[in-house]
Amino acid sequence: MALSRALRCCQRIFSWIPVSIISSVVLWSYYAYVFELCFGKTSQLIVGYLLIFHVCFIMFCWTYWKAIFTPPSSPSKKFHLSYSDKESYEMEERPDAQKQILAEIARKLPICTRAQSGAIRFCDRCQVIKPDRCHHCSVCETCVLKMDHHCPWVNNCVGFSNYKFFLLFLSYSMIYCVFVASTVFQYFLKFWVGDLPNGPAKFHVLFLLFVALMFFVSLMFLFGYHCWLVAKNRSTLEAFSAPVFQNGPDRNGFNVGLSRNLQQVFGEDKKLWFIPVFTSQGDGHYFPLRTLRESENPLLANEGKWMEDGGSDEESADENGPSVIIRTES
């Protein structure tokens, strides 16, 4: 037991190494650009460079902070098994009977996707019926709503609660790299022809350009891939394994058109699209389907009833016993 705790502690410490590397590189780039390249120069061009640089730097830090420290959203209590349901599920030894128990419970929930076998998706670790697009993260040890992937560079699960922040982090990282590289390039040329005086600034300029270009190339492919995912309304997991519906697998099951796909991630107010505040539509438990209009979907049409039944279900759960909710550390 003590060894397991020690290993977990070491894992948590090591998981912050990628974040520490990114943070160190960014802090060094700030020092190199502001103090080594621009400090002591009073031309209007340099002042303009510094103003734009600090706007890019602040937006990068803001989005990176939000991507790291926004906790991943987990399924609500409605998707956890009640005390009586959990008891009957664990006492039943036949797999077919267990599937039937889960199917009866899921009838009251807005669930359209199924496991590969056609059964209701259920997480044995979290004891929860998985909402559509929800998956269990083995690193965070919890089920994450609309999980995209676990990103070591933000040490967090990228999902419904922070997917917008992750996209903005990628976009502002690219802008930061492009601005640094484009403004440093003229000084790099001076260094190349020998017009730049010898000193530490010489090496800072050289490394600034190469680091900015290196990060920009890697970010460009990653950002382009996620733009394609947003346009198709897919997560990274769904791009590799198509979600399964009652009629079978369908990669485009949640694709409701480019405009609505963008609104699901960034919200309806376009003025807030590029600001790292949460504006995504819904609560991450259900999503419109391409082949079925919301008004024609019996599960989503009963959304109001599903929400209204929350109080009565919780009261009945209290009468049968305490509801079982396994809390996991993310």
Side-chain angles (χ1 to χ4, degrees):
M1 190 70 177
L3 179 61
S4 177
R5 288 181 179 178
L7 289 175
R8 265 187 201 177
C9 183
C10 291
Q11 182 184 5
R12 289 179 182 175
I13 293 173
F14 286 126
S15 65
W16 285 102
I17 292 178
V19 176
S20 302
I21 293 174
I22 296 294
S23 301
S24 300
V25 171
V26 172
L27 290 175
W28 163 78
S29 70
Y30 182 89
Y31 166 79
Y33 194 92
V34 174
F35 293 98
E36 293 291 343
L37 189 64
C38 299
F39 190 74
K41 299 175 183 177
T42 58
S43 67
Q44 291 184 350
L45 184 62
I46 294 297
V47 173
Y49 282 171
L50 285 174
L51 288 175
I52 299 174
F53 173 83
H54 279 91
V55 171
C56 297
F57 181 79
I58 290 171
M59 294 307 297
F60 167 83
C61 294
W62 189 5
T63 53
Y64 193 40
W65 176 276
K66 295 286 284 186
I68 294 173
F69 294 106
T70 299
S73 298
S74 299
S76 66
K77 293 182 180 180
K78 293 293 296 184
F79 289 83
H80 288 261
L81 297 185
S82 66
Y83 180 81
S84 58
D85 290 334
K86 183 176 183 296
E87 191 176 46
S88 58
Y89 177 81
E90 291 179 343
M91 290 181 64
E92 185 57 65
E93 297 180 355
R94 296 171 299 171
D96 291 339
Q98 288 182 332
K99 291 180 181 179
Q100 187 61 33
I101 292 173
L102 294 178
E104 289 294 328
I105 300 171
R107 284 185 179 181
K108 299 179 181 179
L109 300 173
I111 296 176
C112 297
T113 55
R114 298 291 184 269
Q116 292 291 337
S117 62
I120 297 297
R121 300 191 311 130
F122 180 73
C123 181
D124 289 316
R125 294 182 179 182
C126 300
Q127 293 292 296
V128 63
I129 295 177
K130 295 180 182 178
D132 293 342
R133 317 183 81 174
C134 176
H135 298 275
H136 184 87
C137 177
S138 57
V139 180
C140 296
E141 298 182 347
T142 187
C143 284
V144 179
L145 295 179
K146 196 187 176 185
M147 179 178 172
D148 188 88
H149 69 287
H150 185 91
C151 181
W153 297 107
V154 299
N155 192 28
N156 197 4
C157 250
V158 178
F160 174 76
S161 62
N162 64 346
Y163 189 54
K164 175 189 174 182
F165 306 144
F166 179 74
L167 291 175
L168 291 179
F169 157 65
L170 294 180
S171 61
Y172 284 116
S173 299
M174 289 178 58
I175 294 173
Y176 183 77
C177 291
V178 168
F179 178 78
V180 169
S182 59
T183 54
V184 166
F185 185 70
Q186 57 180 315
Y187 297 97
F188 172 76
L189 292 178
K190 291 181 180 180
F191 166 78
W192 188 261
V193 298
D195 291 342
L196 205 65
N198 289 325
K202 210 173 187 180
F203 300 99
H204 285 294
V205 167
L206 179 65
F207 284 111
L208 263 178
L209 180 63
F210 282 109
V211 170
L213 289 176
M214 180 185 66
F215 274 93
F216 171 74
V217 171
S218 59
L219 287 168
M220 180 178 62
F221 289 104
L222 183 59
F223 181 69
Y225 176 66
H226 277 280
C227 287
W228 178 78
L229 289 177
V230 172
K232 297 292 184 180
N233 205 338
R234 298 177 192 170
S235 65
T236 299
L237 295 176
E238 292 166 353
F240 285 95
S241 179
V244 179
F245 298 87
Q246 294 182 4
N247 297 328
D250 185 3
R251 291 187 184 276
N252 295 313
F254 296 106
N255 187 355
V256 290
L258 179 60
S259 178
R260 294 184 65 190
N261 292 344
L262 289 172
Q263 288 179 1
Q264 282 190 26
V265 177
F266 296 101
E268 297 180 2
D269 191 352
K270 294 183 179 180
K271 292 180 293 185
L272 299 176
W273 278 18
F274 302 101
I275 300 176
V277 293
F278 183 80
T279 55
S280 301
Q281 291 181 335
D283 60 0
H285 290 85
Y286 50 87
F287 301 89
L289 301 179
R290 175 178 63 90
T291 56
L292 203 59
R293 292 181 180 177
E294 215 168 303
S295 58
E296 297 172 355
N297 190 334
L299 292 174
L300 299 185
N302 292 331
E303 175 192 340
K305 182 179 178 181
W306 170 60
M307 298 299 292
E308 290 174 1
D309 290 343
S312 59
D313 287 350
E314 290 177 1
E315 290 176 3
S316 61
D318 291 339
E319 293 175 359
N320 294 327
S323 58
V324 178
I325 301 175
I326 298 179
R327 298 180 180 269
T328 56
E329 296 180 356
S330 54

